[in-house]
Amino acid sequence: MRPDPWELDDHADLRTATVVLLDGPQQELSYAVPDSMVDQVLPGVRVRVPLGRGNRPAVGYCVAVEMKSGSTMRLKPVTEALDPMPLLSPALLRLARWMADYYLCPLTAALETILPAGVRDGAGTRLTTYLSVDAEALKKSADKKLTQKQAAILKLLERDGPMTQVDLLRTAKCTAGPVTALRRKGLIRSQAERVQKSQADGVEVRRQKNFTLNDEQRNALERITSAMHEKTHRTILVHGVTGSGKTEVYIQAMQEALRFGRQAIVLVPEISLTPQTVERFRSRFGEVAVLHSHLTDAERHWHWRQIAEGKVSVVVGARSAVFAPTPHLGLIVLDEEHESSFKQDVTPRYHARDVARIRAEAEGVPLVLGSATPSLESWRKANQGEFSLVEMPNRVEDRPLPDVGTIDLRVDANRGSVTRGAIGRHLHKAISNALETGGQVILLLNRRGYSTHIQCPSCGFVLVCPHCEIALTHHRQHEIALCHFCDYETAAPAECPECHFEGIRYSGVGTQRLEAEVRARFPHSPCLRMDADAMQGRGSHERAFAAFREGKIKILLGTQMIAKGLDFPNVTLVGVINADTALHLPDFRAAERTFQLVTQVAGRTGRGPKGGRVLVQSMQPEHPAIQAAVRHDYAAFARGELPIREALRYPPFTSMIRLIVRGPVEEIALEFAKTLAVRLRELLPDDGDKTREARILGPAPAPFAKLRGLFRFHIQLQCGDGKRLRDATRELLAKLEAPKEVQWIADVEPIDMM
Ligand code: ADP
Ligand code: ZN
């Protein structure tokens, strides 16, 4: 044994562990690894270490172990390793470092994002004590007297191996007495082990065979598999229209990865993690780890172990499944890559697409991004050759893309024949037709609630949330006015709270009012509403989709929840109630969002032999985003939109960081935001180099200027050189102390601009 590291002479080799503490200072600390712990203190293991002058015990992650020769350091030793095995592979540790650096968050925040809480806490495991014979002691103690019962117990343990006391007593048919005696003599020892209860969901699905790929699909598959066999990373953007059979391509690419003993991760937006999607993968692969946000900690931990031990090869999940601890990763697929839910909206504010790319690069495997409406970020990279582009412009089996028509809501209004409610004359007729010919109908309205606006026509007063200053939405079920941000609710007023005028007006159509209208217009066609309010119970999605699939429901209406990824062959009409809801938001991606939503919902029809059509109601049907969606012309949309982004120096032509300052006192928050902006202008001077030129906008009140009682200001940074922005912001985060009660965050490459 080596001496205690404290006493090491100055020139000995020293094994050191770099440790990041869970709480407390974020810098990395070095500790000595005692010889007795060499096999336990490994990167990715949590350790207990002494901290400060009082050697207060603290817990942290060991993130690196190094041999330092000829060291003159006098380091304190690690006290204890807390995990029997590393929880994070070297690859995932590197990913955590990248996240901390890129998204400007503490390393521990990145580590704890990668490692689910259920894994950290050992959820669903029990500490069980096993008894076994201590062979050494038994040999030495041949002379010790044993009773008959005691001898029998030892024999049993020798024959059957370690077992719990309960099992031992049952098998040996004895009381605890002789066992206790044997333990006292030191002939039996006990050892604690963590055991995990199976959380397998036991879902059985009918196995299905592969489709024979068409030429487009085969080409896409070849591009992916050849990248896989090159064993170098490549990002492949599959731009395929809705129904072009992208999922089939992913499945067969994954099968290829599995043939070589590799694992595959498929990331889908939480919203499309429907039973339908999951079943498609289960029916081909049998066992699939499905990681969605409703798992209990114990279930998550169970899946995590199965994946880490290589017992399951296919992982399907939402955003955080990008961190699945696959030891033999072969492929990552990220479907609907344009979806904003791939970005996390709390620290660390990571985007799964970017994390997936860094991970795929580091592990030398392909990343497949798929979408009918790629983000302009990915589209530009594909056009610049940074990503490989695969086009799938046709639907499978020569199915046509649906015919998309627009209905100008202004015309209806001008004619004076204002149709009462949300469904115009044209749309009403189309719905009747579809129903009469045995088809089903989907109606999209991206606003929940009954009335979205409560205003007094006499004094102009608008009912807003006192904490958020967002207009309250009327929900009829409990006659309340509800804040969709913070859930504040108040009784729906019968008269104006300001001037007591009795004719306060409820206007603006939400999904609840649309549902009432549909029931009134088509009383003989069962309809179902799907939105966050209606779909609260566990399994409610499944039940709703099943009823629609079986044809018990004729009209499905709802928010974007119904716009994504569904495949119902009998849907012959899709109606978009109002395509303009997202068009005028103060967000530079407003047009892109609108284009995506209309294109995606249009993709829900015409999937069967009956074909299908789409009707889009809009006040501005000539808008380029709506026109491009009508013609299924992604390239045209991109051609029109990219020059606008370039002129305004928005992403994808620049990197962006959004700083948000919030606090309960408006003046104090604003004052600090101003300080931030001044400091940033100092740190990011114009040095005449166009490629590095930083644009700093603000501070200005955020579009949501007050949320949950906090006033919000934002500053927007744009620069062709993202590293320059991150470096400046990181410096401020480290140095600038915000006044008490004021919080500020930095959102790197933000998606939410509100
Ligand atoms: P996407 O993911 O591009 O929207 P899907 O993978 O959902 O398209 O495919 C649309 C439909 O076509 C699905 O019902 C799928 O089962 C079917 N399909 C896929 N590939 C083929 C093929 N080669 N031949 C026949 N049908 C196919
Ligand atoms: Zn509110």
Side-chain angles (χ1 to χ4, degrees):
M1 274 281 270
R2 290 259 217 82
D4 183 298
W6 282 101
E7 333 246 290
L8 280 179
D9 73 74
D10 282 356
H11 299 285
D13 283 358
L14 186 63
R15 187 182 291 265
T16 63
T18 309
V19 175
V20 216
L21 298 180
L22 288 189
D23 315 296
Q26 267 302 312
Q27 81 261 35
E28 297 175 10
L29 306 169
S30 290
Y31 285 88
V33 181
D35 276 0
S36 59
M37 288 189 204
V38 165
D39 295 336
Q40 292 147 43
V41 178
L42 301 169
V45 159
R46 282 171 300 183
V47 291
R48 198 186 313 280
V49 292
L51 188 67
R53 238 182 286 153
N55 287 335
R56 183 168 59 80
V59 173
Y61 284 88
C62 169
V63 292
V65 173
E66 286 168 285
M67 287 302 289
K68 298 237 170 94
S69 60
S71 169
T72 54
M73 290 178 296
R74 291 184 169 275
L75 297 176
K76 298 183 195 177
V78 171
T79 320
E80 187 188 357
L82 299 174
D83 301 304
M85 277 181 306
L87 297 175
L88 292 151
S89 64
L92 288 178
L93 278 171
R94 279 195 299 275
L95 196 62
R97 274 203 190 281
W98 176 84
M99 279 171 68
D101 186 60
Y102 188 85
Y103 294 108
L104 309 174
C105 71
L107 182 55
T108 38
L111 290 166
E112 308 244 287
T113 300
I114 293 180
L115 208 54
V119 177
R120 283 181 262 137
D121 311 339
T125 63
R126 264 179 314 120
L127 208 54
T128 304
T129 307
Y130 290 93
L131 302 177
S132 58
V133 176
D134 190 328
E136 292 274 300
L138 190 60
K139 239 192 287 165
K140 283 189 213 141
S141 69
D143 52 319
K144 276 194 194 153
K145 272 224 188 95
L146 295 178
T147 66
Q148 214 177 353
K149 250 297 132 7
Q150 291 171 354
I153 287 171
L154 285 179
K155 217 182 217 153
L156 190 77
L157 276 180
E158 277 180 320
R159 194 191 69 196
D160 292 357
M163 60 178 88
T164 62
Q165 172 138 346
V166 176
D167 286 342
L168 180 61
L169 299 186
R170 192 180 334 109
T171 326
K173 297 194 181 62
C174 68
T175 59
V179 176
T180 312
L182 283 168
R183 288 175 77 160
R184 241 187 251 127
K185 289 183 190 181
L187 298 180
I188 287 184
R189 55 179 181 175
S190 63
Q191 200 170 2
E193 247 177 65
R194 278 220 163 265
V195 290
Q196 189 166 27
K197 200 170 123 241
S198 167
Q199 303 283 346
D201 51 15
V203 186
E204 282 288 324
V205 288
R206 204 155 39 89
R207 288 295 281 257
Q208 275 171 3
K209 287 212 294 270
N210 285 349
F211 284 102
T212 309
L213 300 185
N214 62 32
D215 289 348
E216 275 179 15
Q217 287 175 310
R218 202 163 336 108
N219 169 50
L221 179 64
E222 258 162 35
R223 295 279 291 277
I224 300 166
T225 50
S226 65
M228 206 148 40
H229 296 311
E230 281 168 26
K231 298 208 167 87
T232 54
H233 162 75
R234 182 168 304 175
T235 299
I236 300 161
L237 176 63
V238 179
H239 171 222
V241 296
T242 53
S244 56
K246 295 185 289 295
T247 311
E248 188 63 32
V249 174
Y250 309 151
I251 287 173
Q252 297 199 18
M254 291 156 65
Q255 289 170 342
E256 180 74 358
L258 265 57
R259 275 205 315 128
F260 289 86
R262 300 295 194 101
Q263 294 163 291
I265 300 175
V266 188
L267 304 171
V268 298
E270 179 78 40
I271 202 168
S272 47
L273 204 50
T274 57
Q276 211 179 9
T277 310
V278 172
E279 201 184 302
R280 281 177 87 172
F281 290 97
R282 283 219 166 105
S283 69
R284 303 303 182 77
F285 294 100
E287 209 188 346
V288 171
V290 180
L291 305 179
H292 54 76
S293 62
H294 302 301
L295 292 179
T296 63
D297 278 356
E299 287 166 336
R300 199 173 286 280
H301 183 201
W302 159 258
H303 285 302
W304 192 91
R305 288 256 171 250
Q306 296 290 104
I307 298 164
E309 289 166 14
K311 288 181 183 153
V312 39
S313 301
V314 175
V315 182
V316 180
R319 185 172 66 222
S320 64
V322 72
F323 305 118
T326 49
H328 313 290
L329 186 61
L331 176 68
I332 306 179
V333 175
L334 195 144
D335 193 24
E336 310 289 4
E337 69 90 35
H338 61 278
E339 274 287 319
S340 50
S341 66
F342 284 119
K343 169 100 171 162
Q344 176 153 294
D345 56 8
V346 295
T347 304
R349 296 180 156 73
Y350 72 91
H351 198 301
R353 189 207 298 136
D354 297 322
V355 175
R357 190 144 74 93
I358 297 301
R359 183 168 180 194
E361 249 168 41
E363 304 200 24
V365 303
L367 166 64
V368 175
L369 305 176
S371 176
T373 53
S375 63
L376 289 174
E377 283 82 358
S378 296
W379 183 247
R380 180 151 186 270
K381 288 199 178 92
N383 283 313
Q384 292 190 316
E386 203 175 320
F387 294 176
S388 310
L389 179 64
V390 176
E391 293 273 7
M392 296 175 64
N394 299 297
R395 283 190 160 181
V396 295
E397 299 190 312
D398 298 322
R399 284 173 209 158
L401 280 161
D403 177 42
V404 184
T406 56
I407 297 168
D408 192 335
L409 291 173
R410 291 167 302 195
V411 176
D412 263 7
N414 289 344
R415 275 209 201 124
S417 67
V418 188
T419 29
R420 295 240 163 245
I423 297 173
R425 204 157 35 84
H426 282 97
L427 186 54
H428 180 104
K429 230 166 106 192
I431 297 173
S432 300
N433 273 338
L435 295 172
E436 276 162 22
T437 50
Q440 287 171 294
V441 177
I442 288 181
L443 297 176
L444 174 82
L445 176 62
N446 221 357
R447 282 187 195 145
R448 60 197 178 93
Y450 195 84
S451 303
T452 55
H453 200 71
I454 307 173
Q455 187 170 25
C456 173
S458 173
C459 74
F461 172 85
V462 176
L463 199 63
V464 297
C465 172
H467 312 295
C468 305
E469 288 179 5
I470 290 175
L472 296 182
T473 298
H474 177 214
H475 284 245
R476 216 177 212 180
Q477 198 187 1
H478 303 290
E479 278 306 318
I480 51 163
L482 182 73
C483 171
H484 279 183
F485 191 82
C486 75
D487 288 339
Y488 164 86
E489 61 172 73
T490 180
E495 56 167 41
C496 175
E498 269 307 282
C499 73
H500 302 288
F501 179 71
E502 288 181 358
I504 191 163
R505 195 176 288 153
Y506 288 69
S507 58
V509 181
T511 43
Q512 291 177 9
R513 181 182 278 198
L514 178 64
E515 178 186 4
E517 186 179 337
V518 167
R519 287 188 194 282
R521 284 175 187 268
F522 308 100
H524 306 297
S525 301
C527 97
L528 182 78
R529 171 167 59 91
M530 281 192 80
D531 57 24
D533 301 304
M535 296 291 126
Q536 283 179 348
R538 218 180 156 156
S540 48
H541 282 90
E542 285 85 338
R543 283 193 297 278
F545 287 134
F548 193 55
R549 170 167 299 277
E550 289 160 17
K552 288 182 196 148
I553 300 296
K554 296 293 177 199
I555 304 173
L556 183 66
L557 68 92
T559 53
Q560 55 170 337
M561 205 176 266
I562 60 171
K564 310 290 167 70
L566 302 177
D567 187 7
F568 296 113
N570 198 38
V571 173
T572 56
L573 176 71
V574 166
V576 179
I577 300 299
N578 187 344
D580 311 339
T581 45
L583 203 49
H584 303 294
L585 296 177
D587 177 344
F588 70 95
R589 292 192 182 88
E592 187 177 1
R593 292 273 159 67
T594 301
F595 172 77
Q596 287 165 352
L597 191 63
V598 175
T599 307
Q600 293 289 343
V601 73
R604 298 314 115 217
T605 180
R607 293 185 154 243
K610 283 189 191 166
R613 68 192 283 237
V614 183
L615 283 175
V616 178
Q617 299 192 132
S618 166
M619 288 287 224
Q620 220 183 327
E622 71 281 4
H623 191 284
I626 294 178
Q627 280 303 311
V630 163
R631 293 194 306 270
H632 306 286
D633 195 345
Y634 177 82
F637 167 72
R639 266 199 311 278
E641 182 70 10
L642 281 171
I644 301 173
R645 298 277 182 91
E646 185 164 23
L648 298 172
R649 288 199 285 140
Y650 274 120
F653 295 92
T654 52
S655 280
M656 189 186 262
I657 295 183
R658 181 175 182 235
L659 305 178
I660 301 170
V661 177
R662 39 179 195 224
V665 184
E666 192 169 5
E667 295 73 27
I668 298 177
L670 176 59
E671 214 36 59
F672 180 69
K674 284 182 181 161
T675 310
L676 262 179
V678 168
R679 295 288 301 275
L680 280 162
R681 291 194 167 96
E682 286 165 13
L683 283 167
L684 295 164
D686 191 354
D687 55 11
D689 181 348
K690 271 273 169 225
T691 57
R692 285 164 41 87
E693 192 185 358
R695 182 168 172 204
I696 303 169
L697 300 175
F704 287 146
K706 187 181 174 195
L707 289 177
R708 295 188 213 279
L710 301 179
F711 293 90
R712 305 167 82 239
F713 295 91
H714 68 168
I715 299 170
Q716 201 167 294
L717 311 178
Q718 290 158 239
C719 182
D721 178 353
K723 185 167 180 306
R724 188 168 187 229
L725 291 187
R726 289 193 297 277
D727 288 346
T729 310
R730 190 181 302 112
E731 190 168 333
L732 284 191
L733 277 166
K735 286 191 185 148
L736 200 61
E737 188 107 23
K740 221 171 76 189
E741 293 193 333
V742 172
Q743 313 153 359
W744 71 287
I745 57 123
D747 190 354
V748 176
E749 306 300 352
I751 293 289
D752 179 0
M753 304 305 296
M754 304 302 277

